[in-house]
Amino acid sequence: MFAYFVRVPSTAPPKLLGSSMGIGSMLGRRISQTVPQRWRSSLSEARASAAPTLPASFLGFHHRFSSKYPPEVIPQFQIGEPAVAAERFVIDCSAFVNTNSQSLGSPVEHPEVVEKMKTTFDATGLVQLKNTGLRTLKEMEPWARVIIPEPQTYEGGANARQLLEQNVYDAGAPSQAWLHYHYEMAYLQQSPVSLGFCCSSALSGGRGRTYVSDGLQATQLLMRTDLGQKMKTKGVCRVRTLTDAEKYSGKNEHAVYNHWQQSYMTDSAEEAEARAREQGLEVEWGPGRLMMTRFSTSGFEYFPKLDANLLYINPGDDHIWFDTWPGVQDLAPADRPIALLFGDGTSFSLEEIKLFAEVFDRAGTPIEWEVGDVTVLCNHRFAHGRPGYAVGEGEERTLGVVIGPMFAHVGALEGKWLD
């Protein structure tokens, strides 16, 4: 497998590269015009001008899309063996499938599978049902609810998700986009405890597989580096901008990520701001009712299950999230809707972002999809992501997403670091 990122040695902690690089241009045209001065940050000259050598496998897929700005970081998702062995989280349900219906049926019919799901999830933070014979999202949703008994609505989220079934949303991202590892809704003061994925259509040849990254292993790797110590000291800040749907009525939305009306489920700017502030965000408004939010955090979150501070920030919070996103990828990096900064307002260098992405890749595990598969992950311990994929004529890939109950962030606790 092509390894694009700066390597994390297995012995001495690496020093960050490029620490002597100068600071160049401000965050950019739209950001500098609309985001308050105190929210701005500088972008290293090296990062603004870097022209990375991209993996051949990525270029072979991505060549059909036009982008003015070459991707800065292409995630590998997995380096080496899977971080979590399949036998630790996969449950083969073939022995429980009804011979007449050729289906697993409902959780009520199989208390032994329910119990195995719970014990597996409790031990690992990840569980997947395989060979279920289930066909529809409506049939699969009750199995996701074994771990997620009280699903939540997707309010305040960054992606434009659509409701597919009761309690089940679509993925909200274009198939072409390479989705960096990320924790769901970690950019808010409250985030889902867990996420469920239900597969009602799948692609052949491993296309469309999901990957999960073990936050424990990623945190251990990061804290052996200067970057980890820098994040521990400075904290981080996420900046996000959402457009006004009314300004785009009847217009081309090719380069639009999400409108605040859809994200906050209201047409009232006052109500949207109130809901954002309830989620711990600072809010200001720019020209054209552009909604700008800022969320400052330690970048780590105490996880009681492991009695340790785990990473709860990811490179997908940076503008590289849109490196392969149709439409938005054609915006200059500084003009994209999100930015990841250190807590003091300075930006991550390209080398730091590469290193940050690699620690997640080294903790990665693939999740293969077949129709009927149900996967639930702990959103506190596991980040998730996927490569882009092509869908041929007559093919579909459909994953329904079930969002678990929210937990309130407490940040990092003293004495609970993994360094």
Side-chain angles (χ1 to χ4, degrees):
M1 180 178 291
F2 186 96
Y4 171 52
F5 305 115
V6 179
R7 294 293 188 182
V8 180
S10 59
T11 55
K15 299 295 183 182
L16 292 179
L17 303 180
S19 59
S20 62
M21 291 180 179
I23 299 301
S25 59
M26 300 305 290
L27 253 179
R29 183 172 61 260
R30 189 189 70 186
I31 295 296
S32 63
Q33 290 177 350
T34 59
V35 173
Q37 176 68 37
R38 65 183 182 278
W39 288 16
R40 300 182 201 172
S41 169
S42 53
L43 188 65
S44 73
E45 294 173 356
R47 186 163 184 194
S49 61
T53 302
L54 303 179
S57 59
F58 172 78
L59 292 174
F61 172 78
H62 193 259
H63 77 277
R64 64 182 67 112
F65 303 107
S66 171
S67 176
K68 301 175 184 177
Y69 303 96
E72 291 185 333
V73 179
I74 303 300
Q76 300 299 305
F77 296 107
Q78 179 189 342
I79 297 176
E81 294 298 314
V84 182
E87 54 266 25
R88 291 182 56 195
F89 67 91
V90 173
I91 300 175
D92 182 356
C93 297
S94 55
F96 303 98
V97 170
N98 185 289
T99 54
N100 294 322
S101 66
Q102 295 297 304
S103 168
L104 181 62
S106 72
V108 175
E109 301 171 61
H110 299 287
E112 62 273 51
V113 179
V114 168
E115 183 60 28
K116 192 168 185 179
M117 278 189 75
K118 291 179 177 179
T119 56
T120 300
F121 186 82
D122 184 64
T124 310
L126 178 66
V127 63
Q128 183 180 39
L129 300 184
K130 300 284 290 183
N131 303 315
T132 66
L134 303 171
R135 294 292 171 186
T136 68
L137 296 176
K138 187 174 183 179
E139 292 175 322
M140 298 174 216
E141 187 261 357
W143 284 102
R145 291 188 65 171
V146 169
I147 306 298
I148 306 175
E150 298 179 2
Q152 303 294 299
T153 57
Y154 185 68
E155 181 178 311
N159 283 6
R161 295 189 189 275
Q162 304 297 323
L163 192 64
L164 300 178
E165 284 280 354
Q166 184 177 359
N167 301 319
V168 182
Y169 294 84
D170 70 2
S175 61
Q176 306 97 316
W178 289 52
L179 305 184
H180 284 265
Y181 277 121
H182 60 286
Y183 297 97
E184 193 69 23
M185 301 174 73
Y187 43 78
L188 304 176
Q189 185 57 44
Q190 294 188 341
S191 304
V193 171
S194 50
L195 287 178
F197 297 91
C198 307
C199 181
S200 61
S201 59
L203 303 174
S204 61
R207 289 174 298 143
R209 67 166 60 95
T210 298
Y211 288 82
V212 296
S213 182
D214 182 1
L216 173 61
Q217 297 183 50
T219 303
Q220 290 171 328
L221 284 170
L222 185 70
M223 296 310 292
R224 290 165 40 208
T225 71
D226 291 349
L227 175 59
Q229 298 303 315
K230 185 177 180 180
M231 291 172 62
K232 175 182 175 181
T233 301
K234 291 189 172 187
V236 295
C237 176
R238 300 176 177 95
V239 178
R240 182 171 63 137
T241 60
L242 296 171
T243 46
D244 176 17
E246 293 183 8
K247 299 297 181 182
Y248 286 86
S249 179
K251 298 180 181 179
N252 188 329
E253 298 191 16
H254 183 59
V256 171
Y257 178 44
N258 201 4
H259 301 304
W260 55 260
Q261 288 94 332
Q262 182 159 6
S263 181
Y264 288 101
M265 302 180 182
T266 178
D267 291 327
S268 165
E270 292 76 15
E271 183 64 25
E273 179 172 338
R275 293 179 182 180
R277 293 190 183 280
E278 287 174 1
Q279 294 168 336
L281 306 181
E282 297 177 56
V283 181
E284 291 197 22
W285 295 88
R289 294 209 303 175
L290 187 71
M291 185 180 187
M292 300 167 291
T293 68
R294 173 185 171 116
F295 180 51
S296 298
T297 175
S298 74
F300 297 84
E301 187 68 24
Y302 176 69
F303 186 36
K305 180 75 176 177
L306 297 177
D307 190 32
N309 297 326
L310 299 186
L311 271 170
Y312 211 63
I313 191 81
N314 40 261
D317 288 313
D318 186 60
H319 66 70
I320 62 171
W321 177 257
F322 296 109
D323 277 355
T324 59
W325 197 287
V328 189
Q329 68 183 353
D330 293 322
L331 298 175
D335 291 339
R336 293 174 185 174
I338 59 176
L340 178 63
L341 313 174
F342 287 108
D344 62 2
T346 57
S347 65
F348 284 69
S349 71
L350 177 57
E351 287 73 22
E352 288 171 327
I353 286 291
K354 288 179 181 178
L355 178 59
F356 195 16
E358 185 180 350
V359 299
F360 281 97
D361 289 347
R362 289 189 175 276
T365 297
I367 303 293
E368 305 291 348
W369 293 115
E370 296 176 317
V371 174
D373 289 354
V374 177
T375 301
V376 184
L377 60 85
C378 172
N379 188 51
H380 200 152
R381 175 165 177 174
F382 285 93
H384 63 284
R386 63 151 175 82
Y389 58 90
V391 180
E393 185 177 353
E395 292 184 318
E396 290 185 359
R397 175 194 184 266
T398 305
L399 288 186
V401 181
V402 180
I403 300 171
M406 300 294 183
F407 74 92
H409 294 194
V410 298
L413 301 186
E414 289 298 325
K416 301 300 180 181
W417 293 99
L418 292 174
D419 50 6

